[in-house]
Each structure stands twice: as C-alpha cells, then as structure tokens.
Amino acid sequence: LDPEFDAALGLADPEPSDGPFCFGSGDDELFCLERFLARPCVGVVDPDPNTGEYAIQWAQSMGKVVITSQLPETIDPTDLQVEMNRWQIKVTKSPPGGGKRLPVPALSKDLSSTVRSLNSFWTVQRQQDHNLIVIALTKQDHRSWKELWQPPAVGEVIFRRSPFTYNQNSYTTAGDDRWSVLPRDGPQWGTPEAPNIEKPYVCHPKKLCLNLHDVQAHGVDRLSVFLFFDQHHLKQLHSFVPLEEMLLTEVTAYLKFCVDGDDYIKVFEAHLTQDCLPSRTSWAIAWRRASSTVGVTGDFPTLRICLTLATEQDAGWHPSSLLGQVLHASSPELAVPEKVCGLATELDPTSASASAYGAASASASASAAAAASSSSSGALVAAG
C-alpha cells in the first residue's frame, strides 16, 4: 500500500494553504469526498534567474495540476498564448513591433509527467495590483507529481513516443504530440481536432465493481474499507476521464460509493454501526491483495476509504463489526444499471458540484433522517 497515504490518514480536509482544490466538502453529518489528495499539495519554482520574474506556485490533486505565476506589468495579457502537447507547455507573447511570437522561457518547459488536453485551459486573474496567469492541466495518469518540471537530461537524450492508437475509442492519439492552442477562461467544446472536446464514454458499473470488500484496522480509532475493482474496466474508465471526475464517496451514518453518469449512481452502501467523524475521512486508489476471506486471491486495484471513529475501541476489536448491512452493485436493492453513458466533462476544482448530489439526497430523505435520529449510531442518515 501507498506509504504516503498511510502517513496522511485522516487528512481529507487540507488547510487552505494546501492549494485551490476542494478535496471534500461537508461536515460531521454529511461529507463528500470529491478529489484525491496528492502530495505535495503545493510546490514552488524559483523565478527566472535572468530576470527575477515568473516565480511559480503549483498545486495538484491526482487528476489536475494548476500552475500560477505573476505576470510582469509590462506584459499585456491579451498578447499571451498557451500551447501544449501531452508532455510540454509553451507560453508565448507577441513582440511589441509585431512578428514571430516570443516564448516565455520560465513557463515553456517539459512537464514531469504527461497530461491530456481534455479540460485543460488557462486564464488571467487580477489580484490586487498585478495579474496572475493560471494554467489548469488535466493529468494523464492517476499519480502524484514530485515536481512540476522534468529535470534536464544530463549526457543523454530522452525519446518520447505517442502510444499506438488501436481503435477509434482510444483516448490517446498521435495528435497528442502535436502542439495545440489551449482555450482561455475555461474548457471549450469543439471539433475532434480541437482540444477540450466532450468525449463520450460508457461505464459498466457491475463489471467495474467486483462486489467484494475488505476491512483493516489502524490502531483503536481508524479503519480502512477496500472496494475491489476489475483492473481492465478501471483502466478503460480512466482512459476517458480522470477517476476523481467520475467517483464520489459520501459518508453519513452510511458509507456510499457512487459512479457518475448523468447522475451519480450508487454502487456500494454499508450501514455504519458506530459513530464516525465523516469530515476526517480520506480515500485513495491503492492495490490490495485479496485473500480467501473475500472469495478470491490475487492483487486488485481498490478504492481505499479510511474512516475515523468517534470513540476509541477496545484492544483486539474487529473492524468488520463496524459495517452492518452491506449492498454491492449486484444487490437488487441498489438497482444499478448494466451500463452508464456520459460525457467526459470538467468538475471545476473549486466547485462543490459533486456535493450537490449529497445535498439533494439529504433533502429528499429528510423524513428518513428524522426517523433515524434516535438510532444507536446517532448520526444523520441520508438515504440515496
């Protein structure tokens, strides 16, 4: 398992200084996990040594990277243009007398990992007495970046090739290595040749979820719930859109895991038999070795949801006792469809659009919550 995630147990709600992302929203009655925490949450790059300008601050989740830098007062934002391919970005400006565009070296470099044009864009924001350029990039892979820029090669040449396009539904194409102009002020949808096209996808929830779960205790007040995925279907889903744009976990007196389609579709639900602290919940995609206790053997990708209990347990407690009735995607009670069709669109890093699902659920089930307020768990119940 990821040692960085182990060290970050319970850190589902970073401090505001940890970056612009809304990793989760809610309180200790209803909390929704929306983005996957990546470490470091923020980083800085020193300014250009030649000019002393373009100091960079960058922030990340597992699905996005946001780069910000203060623009010199001599730069007219309307003269700027941002281009990208799958492993580089390039910021250029118009020269005063016209002619060929000039690169901004501090913002035109190789990225430390690959990105995709879907939902990547840039904008300029006015902050106090200066302008900030903000570049939002969508990661290709579900991983943390240790640094923003790829270190320069020493004594060797790096060759990069685009993956072979094996069918028309494959997201990555040879064109990803060609420079394309990023839209300004927000994602835009256009032709297949233009960046930020809405990409349709099909998800099969009952094939994605293996209808298996496991639990593991951490000390006397924490435990992890593991939901097992089929590796092929998880990769297929991620090829169209970052996982954090598709997945949602809601924690109340129930633990719910949902997949996005036109609406969020609940594919797992478990009643919590004891109070927990929903706002102290964290999650991550992690490999897990299944044992005979869950019916299969081998290593599988899982969604790991770490819960923090309101009270400490006795030594030798069994974490499985925390879960009451458990429903998987195959359970008739959840009425999960065979397939979900959607569009790979953007979830704004600072929005709470995913949590709107939870708010709607809570509103629609106010009577159920009131009826359950006298239950032993003592927490509000939001029946999906």
Side-chain angles (χ1 to χ4, degrees), residues 25-154:
S25 61
D27 51 33
D28 277 333
E29 292 182 348
L30 173 65
F31 193 81
C32 295
L33 291 165
E34 298 159 2
R35 288 194 176 271
F36 288 100
L37 187 66
R39 297 288 188 183
C41 291
V42 295
V44 295
V45 178
D46 293 335
D48 188 322
N50 297 320
T51 64
E53 300 172 329
Y54 297 107
I56 295 173
Q57 183 177 42
W58 61 283
Q60 65 171 331
S61 68
M62 285 295 194
K64 299 289 288 190
V65 173
V66 176
I67 304 168
T68 60
S69 181
Q70 181 177 332
L71 294 174
E73 290 298 325
T74 56
I75 296 293
D76 184 348
T78 60
D79 291 336
L80 294 176
Q81 178 177 281
V82 180
E83 300 172 76
M84 69 167 287
N85 57 31
R86 68 186 181 95
W87 52 280
Q88 294 171 303
I89 62 170
K90 179 169 62 178
V91 179
T92 59
K93 58 184 178 180
S94 300
K100 185 178 179 180
R101 301 188 65 85
L102 302 175
V104 178
L107 297 173
S108 302
K109 296 186 179 183
D110 291 5
L111 298 164
S112 65
S113 191
T114 51
V115 292
R116 51 178 119 189
S117 60
L118 178 71
N119 299 328
S120 296
F121 64 98
W122 71 285
T123 188
V124 173
Q125 297 177 352
R126 187 68 180 175
Q127 188 176 87
Q128 297 177 351
D129 60 347
H130 58 267
N131 291 319
L132 288 177
I133 184 172
V134 181
I135 305 172
L137 303 174
T138 303
K139 291 182 178 180
Q140 179 65 48
D141 301 315
H142 184 92
R143 64 173 59 176
S144 296
W145 290 13
K146 302 304 180 185
E147 50 193 339
L148 177 61
W149 305 125
Q150 176 73 34
V154 178

Side-chain angles (χ1 to χ4, degrees), residues 220-296:
V220 295
D221 62 349
R222 289 179 181 156
L223 82 156
S224 289
V225 179
F226 298 87
L227 308 181
F228 287 77
F229 293 132
D230 176 86
Q231 182 178 354
H232 169 74
H233 286 277
L234 187 67
K235 283 186 175 180
Q236 185 180 54
L237 182 62
H238 183 255
S239 71
F240 290 109
V241 64
L243 295 178
E244 63 184 35
E245 308 290 356
M246 278 292 299
L247 308 181
L248 170 74
T249 294
E250 182 183 277
V251 183
T252 57
Y254 287 83
L255 173 62
K256 303 173 185 177
F257 167 60
C258 310
V259 173
D260 188 17
D262 293 331
D263 297 300
Y264 280 97
I265 297 171
K266 185 167 53 180
V267 294
F268 175 83
E269 179 180 273
H271 179 258
L272 302 179
T273 60
Q274 297 189 36
D275 282 344
C276 70
L277 304 176
S279 63
R280 298 287 293 172
T281 305
S282 55
W283 66 340
I285 300 294
W287 285 92
R288 177 74 170 176
R289 175 158 293 179
S291 62
S292 57
T293 58
V294 295
V296 297

Side-chain angles (χ1 to χ4, degrees), residues 350-371:
T350 58
S351 76
S353 57
S355 61
Y357 160 82
S361 298
S363 175
S365 60
S367 58

